[in-house]
Amino acid sequence: MNRAIRRVGIGVTVLIVLLVGQLTYLQVYDADNLANDPRNIRFQLRDFSKPRGRILTADDQILARSVETGDELKFQRFYPQGGLFSQIVGYQSFVFGNVGVERTYNSELAGRDPLLQIRNVGDVLAGKEPIGNLVLSTSALLQAAARDALGDQRGSVVVMNPKTGSILAMYSNPSYDPQPFASHNSQAVQDYDKLLRADPDKPDLPRAYRERYPPGSTFKVITASSALGTGRFTPETNFPQLTELDLPQTNNTLRNFGGQSCGGTLARSFQQSCNTTFGQIGLDLGDEFVPAMDRFGIGSAPPLDIAPGAAASAGPPPGSFQQNQPLFAFAGIGQGDVAVTPLEMALSASAVANNGQIMQPHVAERITDGDDNTVKTIGAKPWRTAMSPQVASTMTTLMVSVVEGGTGRAARIPGVSVAGKTGTAQNETGAAHAWFVGFAPAEDPQVAVAVLVEHGGSAGNEATGGQVAAPIAAQMMRMVLGR
């Protein structure tokens, strides 16, 4: 009898421990996920029963605010800028939950952040709900300029401060209006969602940080940096003059753009964007290439503060060189297994601009209380060390030569030294994508940029990165620099 009672007691104790553990997990570790789950009606009703903080641009334009509705859900979000900022701001939806910075900074906007509670302790004691406002680093002026520069062309523009990681503009075309998602009419919200999902242009896809593309020759920034970082290559390392490169393990070749013959020094090859040289570098690096890419974040997702987050870029698998050497040659020119977001390429340019250091990208600048007093500042944090300061200095010189005398002349700005790299990326779905990445001023970088125009935009099959993407990049950099 005592043995049976002991077994029952042990069983009951184990069940109690499991129950306490489950409750602790739900109430502590998983509390935020439960609070933001769109199926959690109690939390949803709580958040819709009171006003929510505003979201503003760096130049003081309102992107989101709460308005009274008079129905059971007392408040609804209003998005006065429509599709201009929807891929950053997102929306607050009773049907689908929160997306974008509306989700990332939900606790701050709803006034539940501890710093806001402490700052407004008097209001809390008086029964008044505190709220927090979110001020972004993005500029409405720059965002509109990016939209206008793309026009009807599908693509993305990312503009950032390479020293802090602050996103100054990030726009993709097409975009969508977030306002219908904020409706309290559930059927209307679901119908709008179905409409967007049925659109083949995917307007609800934030291409700048959620869609991956072959980067083409802009990836030569990473290839050249990786080569220089080994110490076995210098800008004066010579390569043969070729029209095509024989690929090992196959009868295929890698050809230069337009069938031209090129080669010579690494510096000259970079300026002229010579495929055969950089395909050979990819082969020479072999299995060293993948960890070098990893230092730029290739294979990882940048820690962007926009839910559901940035997509991870991709490259050849680690340790796969001996099994598939041609893919490393194609990786050297940004083709084959390489796939990146425009954000990733802006970060790669920023690495060169910031002495080899990549900062965490972020769109939030600070949190303010209901009286617009700053409560929290989103500071600069390092993410990756891509290269040494010495390699970054050499790469800056190489990138300046591209704009001054190579394929990136259309990115020149009078009186400003611009560093850049063009790309014309082959893909399986149509005409080549046009790319440009760069920064300025080269001697003291204040702005880094990545521009992608899908399938060459209006230029179609005749497009190059230097012709289509570089002028857009120059326009954005001129605006940031006041030129």
Side-chain angles (χ1 to χ4, degrees):
M1 176 66 72
N2 289 339
R3 184 179 300 170
I5 293 174
R6 188 181 304 112
R7 287 176 178 172
V8 171
I10 292 173
V12 170
T13 302
V14 169
L15 290 174
I16 291 173
V17 170
L18 290 174
L19 180 61
V20 170
Q22 176 71 356
L23 288 173
T24 301
Y25 173 78
L26 292 175
Q27 294 181 9
V28 178
Y29 294 102
D30 203 37
D32 189 60
N33 288 333
L34 290 172
N36 289 298
D37 194 315
R39 296 167 295 179
N40 192 334
I41 301 300
R42 183 169 65 86
F43 279 100
Q44 289 281 35
L45 287 173
R46 175 200 60 183
D47 280 352
F48 281 86
S49 67
K50 62 177 185 176
R52 186 177 177 84
R54 298 174 299 162
I55 301 175
L56 304 100
T57 65
D59 44 0
D60 208 32
Q61 297 297 303
I62 296 176
L63 304 180
R65 61 183 177 87
S66 292
V67 295
E68 292 192 59
T69 62
D71 58 25
E72 182 181 3
L73 301 175
K74 298 178 182 178
F75 291 90
Q76 177 180 324
R77 289 301 253 179
F78 176 58
Y79 301 101
Q81 297 285 345
L84 184 60
F85 277 90
S86 58
Q87 296 160 1
I88 295 175
V89 172
Y91 51 79
Q92 182 193 36
S93 170
F94 187 74
V95 178
F96 293 110
N98 297 357
V99 172
V101 296
E102 285 275 30
R103 177 175 173 180
T104 308
Y105 297 96
N106 182 59
S107 294
E108 289 85 351
L109 291 165
R112 293 195 296 272
D113 182 85
L115 288 176
L116 288 166
Q117 298 278 348
I118 294 171
R119 177 66 67 92
N120 295 278
V121 64
D123 290 341
V124 173
L125 293 175
K128 182 181 177 182
E129 292 276 8
I131 60 170
N133 300 311
L134 174 62
V135 181
L136 303 182
S137 57
T138 51
S139 155
L141 185 65
L142 285 174
Q143 191 81 345
R147 175 197 61 196
D148 296 343
L150 284 173
D152 295 332
Q153 302 174 118
R154 292 199 318 188
S156 298
V157 176
V158 180
V159 184
M160 63 186 300
N161 183 329
K163 297 179 180 179
T164 66
S166 299
I167 303 293
L168 308 179
M170 185 162 62
Y171 181 79
S172 298
N173 184 58
S175 186
Y176 72 99
D177 184 0
Q179 195 60 55
F181 280 117
S183 171
H184 293 173
N185 184 327
S186 297
Q187 188 59 54
V189 173
Q190 292 172 1
D191 290 345
Y192 184 63
D193 180 64
K194 290 178 182 177
L195 183 68
L196 290 180
R197 291 179 183 275
D199 191 329
D201 287 336
K202 301 179 181 179
D204 56 335
L205 174 67
R207 288 165 161 80
Y209 60 91
R210 292 288 296 172
E211 183 70 306
R212 303 189 304 184
Y213 304 86
S217 292
T218 58
F219 202 75
K220 291 170 184 173
V221 171
I222 294 176
T223 306
S225 301
S226 302
L228 294 170
T230 66
R232 301 197 307 272
F233 299 82
T234 73
E236 300 307 314
T237 301
N238 265 291
F239 294 86
Q241 293 277 345
L242 301 173
T243 57
E244 57 185 17
L245 175 70
D246 291 329
L247 297 175
Q249 302 176 329
T250 179
N251 293 324
N252 295 328
T253 62
L254 186 156
R255 298 181 179 180
N256 289 315
F257 183 79
Q260 65 181 346
S261 175
C262 60
T265 66
L266 188 154
R268 177 66 176 170
S269 295
F270 188 85
Q271 184 187 51
Q272 298 303 314
S273 202
C274 185
N275 285 345
T276 53
T277 291
F278 283 88
Q280 184 61 56
I281 291 175
L283 294 173
D284 291 344
L285 289 172
D287 279 326
E288 289 181 273
F289 201 4
V290 176
M293 293 183 203
D294 178 70
R295 289 193 286 273
F296 281 86
I298 303 300
S300 302
L304 181 66
D305 57 343
I306 304 176
S313 53
S320 63
F321 177 67
Q322 292 302 326
Q323 290 73 39
N324 210 334
Q325 295 179 26
L327 284 181
F328 281 71
F330 281 106
I333 65 167
Q335 300 279 177
D337 281 353
V338 177
V340 299
T341 63
L343 173 63
E344 168 61 37
M345 293 315 297
L347 293 172
S348 298
S350 293
V352 181
N354 194 39
N355 295 314
Q357 189 82 46
I358 304 177
M359 308 305 290
Q360 289 188 17
H362 58 94
V363 295
E365 192 70 23
R366 65 184 189 276
I367 307 296
T368 67
D369 62 17
D371 296 321
D372 293 328
N373 299 309
T374 298
V375 173
K376 181 194 302 184
T377 300
I378 312 301
K381 297 179 182 178
W383 179 47
R384 286 280 203 278
T385 299
M387 69 194 85
S388 69
Q390 293 77 19
V391 171
S393 176
T394 301
M395 285 302 306
T396 297
T397 300
L398 297 183
M399 293 175 72
V400 168
S401 77
V402 170
V403 176
E404 292 185 349
T407 57
R409 291 181 180 90
R412 288 181 292 189
I413 300 173
V416 177
S417 180
V418 177
K421 184 70 189 76
T422 60
T424 307
Q426 305 299 316
N427 62 89
E428 298 178 352
T429 59
H433 300 316
W435 281 91
F436 183 88
V437 301
F439 57 89
E443 63 278 5
D444 183 22
Q446 304 298 314
V447 55
V449 62
V451 176
L452 161 73
V453 180
E454 292 185 22
H455 304 302
S458 57
N461 289 320
E462 303 301 318
T464 65
Q467 171 196 358
V468 175
I472 296 175
Q475 179 182 342
M476 302 307 300
M477 289 187 285
R478 279 198 305 268
M479 291 190 67
V480 175
L481 299 175
R483 296 282 177 150

